[in-house]
């Protein structure tokens, strides 16, 4: 399953043009790679991708494929984490769970996308698995990879705090559920809480300490501290500013300020931006509707099997009792469905990933149950039962495969339920390749971005007063994802103010002019000898036009030929 997951994530990984958000983060990664200077900026989320991609760009070209590679690899290896839960799932359920993690269309699409959501989901899921394994085996050394994995998730996106809250909340609900079941059968809650649980803890500590309660407690504390230390080391490695970290390690700068910036400073910035800011100031119901719409379109098979799995496990159809892992994952997934529309700052399909991962566990239980039912029907020569089970399983596989083929490198509004609005169409990528070739053969300024204001709006698009300081404004973000491609191809660019005279701006125009569609007519009359290519810059209602000097383009095509 891991091999399958890696294959579907790596094939043609660079085929889809960068999304607006990929272009934004990618540009700053390129700047970090060039300057060696980087510090945590909450608005682009955690430092995992900048740090890891900086190393990748040292050995591989800084291209779409390379930038997405860390997410694809982590998403592809996620099915391996299923093995950590082997004490709580049957073998066929583990295979089904691995298949859901490998082939769910939302997980596949956003594993082929340079964003942090699949990363934080995968690292947090693995961290949970290591904690479960430590509990199952009593070997607290598993807490070290648990801490490191959760720290890696914390370095990807700030909602690792939500994962921690979900884990704690689901644990409490499972504990309460089991306690209620026992007290309903007539047992005393006082005896369970104040006699049985302390006795069980003492027995586990003695077992860890070869019969010594004190030695067992010391080993237990050492295991927990090992996990916390692993978390801290990985967290500081990613969040510490560069080159401050290297200077401190090299002895040329004090270490304490770096440690403070990589811990307390990073936490303060996160709280100030995401918890204390205004990112969640929006209406709830439209965000919930958008979440559910993406969930239904991107994970219909998982939803159906998850409902089956919850029923068969809750009523003891599979194991004769409720398994705490399945209940835990169900609570976690349901809270994610109703919680993320409140926690997220924009209507974005990728947040549904955080419900898909936990609900894959009850879905695996449901899928395995249907498979076993079909197998039993086959053994008993029940043609109707075999036919129904086969129909369900074949339809499920077909539905997953068809959805993955449809969403693969999709970039049109036909798939707007799964794609985010700020996705350009793929045809623009070929045009940008031509722009890169024309720019490489040109001396001086290569591209003019024609400053403008959208109809019936006072916003400014494309214009930046100082190209060496893009965030100086007023409208660098309206160019995305173009800066990623321009920076990577070393394209020299300039821009014009929205109130500039079109004739003066184009009098000595460079070989490439980029404008919004509403300015196309006035520019075409001025740019004689330029070919115009119009592309969707967002999924709907926003097009961009790229004018390329025909002579310059022909010259590069001849050289290329």
């Amino acid at each position: 399953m891991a091999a399958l997951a890696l294959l579907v994530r790596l094939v043609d990984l660079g085929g889809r043009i960068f999304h607006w958000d990929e272009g934004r983060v990618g540009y700053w990664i390129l700047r970090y790679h060039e300057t060696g200077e980087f510090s945590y900026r909450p608005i682009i989320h955690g430092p995992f991708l900048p740090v890891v991609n900086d190393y990748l760009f040292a050995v591989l070209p800084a291209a779409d494929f390379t930038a997405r590679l860390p997410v694809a690899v982590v998403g592809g290896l996620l099915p391996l984490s299923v093995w950590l839960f082997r004490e709580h799932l049957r073998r066929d359920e583990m295979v089904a769970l691995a298949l859901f993690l490998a082939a769910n269309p939302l997980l596949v699409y956003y594993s082929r996308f340079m964003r942090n959501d699949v990363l934080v989901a995968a690292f947090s899921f693995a961290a949970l698995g290591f904690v479960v394994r430590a509990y199952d085996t009593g070997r607290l050394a598993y807490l070290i990879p648990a801490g490191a994995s959760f720290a890696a998730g914390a370095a990807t996106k700030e909602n690792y705090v939500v994962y921690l809250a979900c884990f704690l909340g689901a644990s409490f609900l499972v504990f309460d559920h089991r306690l209620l079941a026992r007290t309903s059968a007539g047992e005393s809650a006082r005896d369970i809480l104040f006699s049985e649980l302390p006795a069980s803890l003492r027995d586990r500590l003695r077992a860890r300490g070869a019969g010594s309660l004190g030695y067992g407690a010391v080993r237990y504390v050492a295991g927990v501290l090992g996990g916390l230390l692993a978390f801290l080391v990985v967290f500081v490695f990613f969040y510490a500013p560069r080159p401050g970290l290297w200077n401190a390690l090299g002895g040329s700068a004090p270490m304490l300020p770096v440690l403070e910036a990589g811990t307390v400073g990073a936490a303060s910035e996160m709280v100030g931006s995401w918890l204390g800011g205004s990112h969640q100031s929006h209406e709830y119901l439209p965000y919930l509707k958008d979440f559910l719409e993406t969930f239904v379109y991107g994970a219909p098979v998982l939803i159906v099997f998850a409902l089956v799995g919850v029923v068969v496990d809750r009523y003891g159809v599979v194991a004769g009792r409720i398994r705490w892992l399945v209940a835990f994952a169900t609570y976690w997934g349901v809270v994610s469905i109703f919680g993320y529309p409140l926690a997220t700052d924009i209507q974005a399909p990728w947040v549904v990933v955080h419900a898909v991962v936990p609900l894959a566990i009850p879905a695996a239980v449901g899928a395995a149950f249907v498979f076993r039912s079909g197998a039993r029907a086959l053994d008993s020569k029940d043609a109707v039962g075999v036919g129904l089970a086969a129909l369900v399983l074949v339809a499920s596989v077909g539905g997953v495969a068809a959805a993955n083929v449809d969403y693969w490198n999709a970039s049109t509004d036909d798939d707007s339920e799964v794609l985010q609005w700020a996705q350009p169409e793929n045809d623009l990528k070929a045009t940008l390749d031509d722009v890169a070739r024309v720019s490489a053969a040109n001396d001086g300024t290569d591209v003019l971005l024609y400053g403008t204001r959208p109809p019936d709006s006072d916003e400014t698009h494309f214009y930046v007063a100082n190209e060496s300081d893009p965030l100086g404004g007023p409208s660098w973000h309206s160019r995305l994802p173009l800066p990623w491609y321009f920076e990577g191809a070393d394209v020299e660019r300039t821009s014009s103010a929205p109130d500039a005279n079109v004739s003066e701006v184009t009098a000595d125009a460079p070989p490439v002019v980029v404008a919004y569609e509403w300015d196309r007519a006035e520019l075409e009359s001025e740019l004689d000898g330029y070919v115009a290519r119009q592309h969707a810059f967002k999924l709907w209602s926003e097009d961009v036009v790229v004018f390329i000097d025909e002579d310059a383009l022909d010259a590069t095509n001849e050289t290329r030929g």
Side-chain angles (χ1 to χ4, degrees), residues 78 81-86 88-89 97 101 119-136 142-151 153 163-171 174 324-333 357-359 361-362:
L78 179 58
S81 64
V82 171
W83 192 239
L84 296 169
F85 301 97
R86 59 187 178 273
H88 304 274
L89 297 172
L97 177 55
L101 297 178
L119 293 174
V120 67
F123 285 130
S124 300
F125 190 78
L128 174 66
F130 283 118
V131 172
V132 169
R133 196 71 189 138
Y135 177 85
D136 291 339
Y142 279 110
L143 295 180
I144 295 176
S149 182
F150 195 64
Y163 274 87
L164 182 59
C166 285
F167 291 162
L168 294 175
S171 298
V174 168
W324 72 261
L325 177 65
V326 181
F328 178 98
T330 302
Y331 296 141
W332 169 19
V357 169
L359 291 178
I361 291 178

Side-chain angles (χ1 to χ4, degrees), residues 426-444:
N426 283 331
D427 289 348
L428 176 59
K429 192 169 185 178
T431 295
L432 292 175
D433 289 340
D434 286 340
V435 170
R437 285 193 295 272
V438 168
S439 300
N442 182 62
D443 294 327

Side-chain angles (χ1 to χ4, degrees), residues 84-106:
L84 296 169
F85 301 97
R86 59 187 178 273
E87 301 293 336
H88 304 274
L89 297 172
R90 298 172 60 151
R91 294 178 67 85
D92 53 1
E93 292 169 344
M94 287 196 294
V95 172
L97 177 55
L99 182 57
F100 278 119
L101 297 178
N104 173 264
L106 286 171

Side-chain angles (χ1 to χ4, degrees), residues 218-231:
V218 169
R219 293 190 65 184
Y220 182 85
V221 171
V224 172
L225 290 178
L228 292 175
L229 180 61
F231 176 90

Side-chain angles (χ1 to χ4, degrees), residues 166-485:
C166 285
F167 291 162
L168 294 175
S171 298
F172 173 79
L173 290 175
V174 168
F175 177 80
D176 179 70
H177 183 86
R178 297 179 70 179
L179 180 63
L180 180 62
R182 294 184 61 179
T183 55
S184 298
E187 296 186 59
S188 168
R190 179 184 295 273
D191 290 341
I192 295 171
L193 293 174
F194 299 106
S195 296
E196 182 180 325
L197 286 180
S200 175
L201 178 60
R202 287 193 297 270
D203 290 342
R204 289 180 71 91
L205 291 177
R206 287 194 182 96
R208 291 292 301 160
S212 169
L213 181 63
Y215 182 51
V218 169
R219 293 190 65 184
Y220 182 85
V221 171
V224 172
L225 290 178
L228 292 175
L229 180 61
F231 176 90
L232 183 63
V233 169
V234 174
F235 191 92
V236 170
F237 170 76
F238 281 107
Y239 277 96
R242 270 71 166 170
L245 177 63
W246 310 130
N247 294 337
L249 291 174
S252 61
M255 179 63 75
L256 187 59
V258 173
L259 292 177
E260 183 179 3
T263 52
V264 177
S268 298
E269 289 191 55
M270 183 197 77
V271 170
S273 178
W274 291 105
L275 300 183
S278 60
H279 293 284
Q280 289 75 35
S281 300
H282 55 72
E283 295 184 10
Y284 176 74
L285 290 180
Y287 277 63
L288 177 62
K289 174 184 175 294
D290 189 70
F291 187 103
L292 294 175
E293 184 178 55
T294 299
F295 199 21
V296 169
Y297 274 87
V301 174
L302 182 140
I303 292 173
V304 172
F305 280 126
L307 293 173
V308 174
V310 169
V311 171
V312 300
D313 195 78
R314 187 170 186 82
Y315 296 103
V317 177
V318 176
R321 57 182 174 80
I322 296 176
R323 288 175 291 179
W324 72 261
L325 177 65
V326 181
F328 178 98
T330 302
Y331 296 141
W332 169 19
V334 171
V335 168
S336 297
I337 290 175
F338 293 99
Y340 271 95
L342 181 64
T344 187
D345 61 323
I346 60 172
Q347 291 174 287
W350 48 67
V351 298
V352 183
V353 163
H354 304 299
V356 167
V357 169
L359 291 178
I361 291 178
V365 173
F369 172 77
V370 172
F371 176 79
R372 283 195 303 273
S373 299
R376 285 195 296 267
L378 183 62
D379 289 340
S380 61
K381 299 182 181 180
D382 179 2
V384 174
V386 171
L388 288 175
L391 179 63
V392 171
L393 294 173
V394 169
S396 301
V397 172
V400 169
N404 275 314
V405 170
D406 185 30
Y407 301 144
W408 190 255
N409 275 333
S411 63
T412 68
D413 60 2
D414 293 337
D415 299 305
S416 59
E417 297 84 7
V418 170
L419 278 62
Q420 209 270 345
W421 171 67
Q423 174 65 54
E425 70 170 339
N426 283 331
D427 289 348
L428 176 59
K429 192 169 185 178
T431 295
L432 292 175
D433 289 340
D434 286 340
V435 170
R437 285 193 295 272
V438 168
S439 300
N442 182 62
D443 294 327
T445 301
D446 304 310
V447 173
L448 166 67
L449 291 127
Y450 188 70
T452 185
R453 293 187 178 92
D456 303 319
S457 173
D458 293 331
E459 293 182 358
T460 297
H461 282 17
F462 276 177
Y463 175 58
V464 171
N466 182 1
E467 294 292 336
S468 62
D469 181 23
L471 293 186
S475 57
W476 178 82
H477 286 91
S478 66
R479 300 176 174 185
L480 292 168
L482 300 180
W484 157 258
Y485 293 100

